[in-house]
Structures are given as C-alpha cells and as structure tokens.
C-alpha cells in the first residue's frame, strides 16, 4: 500500500466557492513537510514566494554582510522567521481573546512582544477577520493575511513584522532619527491580499497598516493605500522569471543528450578525416 497523503492543516471555502487547502511546514505529528496551497485542487504560488523576486538583491547584500561578521545567513534568517511566527501567534491569541503572556516567548524576543502588546492596548483593534486564507484564481496565487480590524474608524488590512534592528535615514553623512520605511514587499503583500479578497467576494479593506515591532519594544505604524494592480505586476514578473528559469533548465538538460554528444563526435571525426 502506498504512503497515505498528509491531510491539509486547514481548509477554507470562500464566498465565491473557491476551496483553499493549506499545508503548514510541520504536520500534525510534528514532521517537516513542504508548505503549500492547493486551490480547487491545483497548486498555487504563495504570496511570500512571489515577493521573493523583489528581495533577492537585498538578500545577497545582507548575506554578504553577515558572512563578513562570521554569521551563517541561513541560520539568521531561520531565527528571524521563528521570531516573527511566535510573536505573530502571541498577538493573534491576544486579539481573539484567547490570552497570552510575554513569558510564552524566548527572553531574547520579548521586547518585540512588548511592542505588539503596546500596539494592541493603544489601538484596541476590533477584529473582523484573523488569519483568513485568500486566493486569486486569475493570477493563481494564495496566501493568509494576518488581520482585518476596525482601528480609528477605519478598516485596514494589518500585517505584523518583527524588526531585527531599526535602520535610520542618513543626511549629509550623518544618521538622523528618521527610520527608513517598511520594505516595498510589505506593501505589495497587502496589495495582493486585497486583490484576492475582491476576487473571492470578501469585503475589501479600506487601506493597509504595516505594524513593525522593534527589538527596543517600540512599535512603528505605517498606513498605506492599497492598489491590487500594483501587486499584480509583481505576479507577472514572478511568472516571467519562473518561465525563464524553466526554459534555461530544460536547455541545460538537453545540452548533453546522447544524440547531441554523438553528433559532436561525428563532426570532430569528420574534421580530422577519420
């Protein structure tokens, strides 16, 4: 008997009838597995995977700087991912009334948790949706947004980001107290969620809110307008790059087939009169 398929971590049917199945990176038994989305039975690209097309160059510079410091960039990135996930889950438990404590976090990440608690107590968001899965069948992508909530009489899509360290704008060679804004992919992530919400028949958000949680327990809020078409352009870029990589991979595989090698040998033999 063949191996049984692992059941999805969660399944959701959206207002337009779209069925989304999601497999997290760890299954119910604690085993590692591939994180993926299936939409109406088809594999769709993850929003965060699509946005990787924007971060490659910055990632190379970042990895080079870490290597200069004697650090492994993969280990640092994995740690940052775990930090973000744990703080994310703690905040969502707090927002949904399940409760949570900073003691649930490793000590080195509790300042980020304090920033999150500060945001919740200051803004008192009224949760409409939490961890809602969405998909766009036309552009073939899926994802899971953090939060849709009423805040200050607005209805924003909220995305939480933990920050390893703040970066400050420099003027005339000197560092100012002005922080650099969030990365472009943070905004485009919300654009793509908004586009998927509209296509799925869900209520559109009025705007976006990127909430950055710092290592000094400070919180930075960035309110943004949402434009799904802006996000769709990134999907097109992702598709084009994926297709280019496929073509190159196919070409590389076919470069040294037996027929090609036989042909090259025959041509060389003819050239030397053999």
């Amino acid at each position: 008997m063949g191996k049984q398929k692992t059941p999805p971590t969660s399944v959701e049917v959206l207002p337009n009838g779209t069925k989304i199945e999601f497999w997290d990176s760890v299954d119910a038994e604690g085993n590692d597995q591939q994180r993926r989305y299936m939409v109406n039975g088809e594999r769709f690209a993850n929003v965060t995977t699509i946005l990787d097309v924007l971060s490659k160059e910055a990632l190379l510079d970042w990895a080079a700087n870490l290597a200069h410091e004697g650090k492994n960039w993969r280990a640092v990135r994995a740690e940052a991912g775990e930090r973000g996930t744990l703080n994310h889950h703690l905040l969502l438990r707090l927002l949904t009334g399940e409760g949570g404590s900073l003691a649930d976090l490793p000590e080195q990440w509790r300042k980020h948790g304090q920033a999150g608690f500060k945001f919740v107590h200051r803004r008192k968001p009224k949760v409409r949706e939490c961890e809602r899965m969405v998909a766009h069948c036309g552009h073939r992508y899926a994802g899971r947004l953090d939060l849709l909530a009423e805040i200050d009489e607005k209805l924003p899509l909220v995305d939480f980001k933990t920050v390893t360290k703040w970066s400050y704008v420099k003027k005339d060679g000197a560092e100012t107290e002005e922080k650099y804004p969030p990365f472009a992919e943070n905004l485009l992530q919300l654009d793509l969620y908004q586009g998927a919400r509209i296509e799925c028949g869900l209520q559109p958000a009025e705007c976006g809110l990127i909430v950055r949680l710092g290592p000094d327990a400070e919180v930075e809020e960035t309110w943004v307008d949402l434009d799904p078409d802006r996000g769709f352009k990134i999907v097109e870029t992702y598709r084009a790059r994926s297709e280019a990589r496929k073509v190159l991979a196919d070409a590389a595989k076919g470069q040294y087939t037996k027929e090609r090698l036989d042909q090259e040998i025959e041509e060389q033999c003819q050239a030397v009169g053999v």
Side-chain angles (χ1 to χ4, degrees), residues 12-20 39 132-136 196-197 199-202:
E12 194 162 342
V13 179
L14 302 175
N16 67 346
T18 297
K19 180 181 179 181
I20 305 177
V39 180
R132 160 78 79 170
M133 290 195 295
V134 292
H136 195 295
R197 289 185 65 83
E199 206 235 13
C200 290
L202 296 167

Side-chain angles (χ1 to χ4, degrees), residues 152-170:
D152 291 348
E153 299 182 353
K154 298 178 182 178
L155 186 64
L157 276 177
V158 184
D159 196 58
F160 296 106
K161 301 294 182 186
T162 59
V163 178
T164 301
K165 65 179 180 179
W166 298 111
S167 297
Y168 295 89
V169 175
K170 291 184 178 180

Side-chain angles (χ1 to χ4, degrees), residues 265-274:
I265 292 171
E266 179 66 23
E267 290 174 353
Q268 291 173 12
C269 289
Q270 290 177 359
V272 296
V274 176

Side-chain angles (χ1 to χ4, degrees), residues 105-172:
L105 297 172
E107 186 175 354
Q108 69 269 28
W109 298 336
R110 288 177 189 170
K111 291 290 186 181
H112 296 89
Q114 288 176 20
F117 277 44
K118 186 182 296 184
F119 168 78
V120 172
H121 292 305
R122 179 191 300 165
R123 290 298 193 182
K124 296 179 173 55
K126 296 180 181 178
V127 177
R128 288 279 197 89
E129 296 175 5
C130 198
E131 291 199 308
R132 160 78 79 170
M133 290 195 295
V134 292
H136 195 295
C137 293
H139 287 282
R140 299 176 59 78
Y141 70 82
R144 185 171 58 180
L145 56 90
D146 284 357
L147 182 69
L148 180 74
E150 295 178 40
I151 301 175
D152 291 348
E153 299 182 353
K154 298 178 182 178
L155 186 64
L157 276 177
V158 184
D159 196 58
F160 296 106
K161 301 294 182 186
T162 59
V163 178
T164 301
K165 65 179 180 179
W166 298 111
S167 297
Y168 295 89
V169 175
K170 291 184 178 180
K171 291 183 180 178
D172 300 325

Side-chain angles (χ1 to χ4, degrees), residues 161-199:
K161 301 294 182 186
T162 59
V163 178
T164 301
K165 65 179 180 179
W166 298 111
S167 297
Y168 295 89
V169 175
K170 291 184 178 180
K171 291 183 180 178
D172 300 325
E175 194 173 82
T176 68
E177 294 182 358
E178 179 186 355
K179 294 184 180 73
Y180 275 108
F183 295 119
E185 52 262 37
N186 299 159
L187 167 59
L188 292 165
Q189 184 174 15
L190 293 178
D191 285 340
L192 291 173
Y193 289 152
Q194 176 82 329
R197 289 185 65 83
I198 293 171
E199 206 235 13

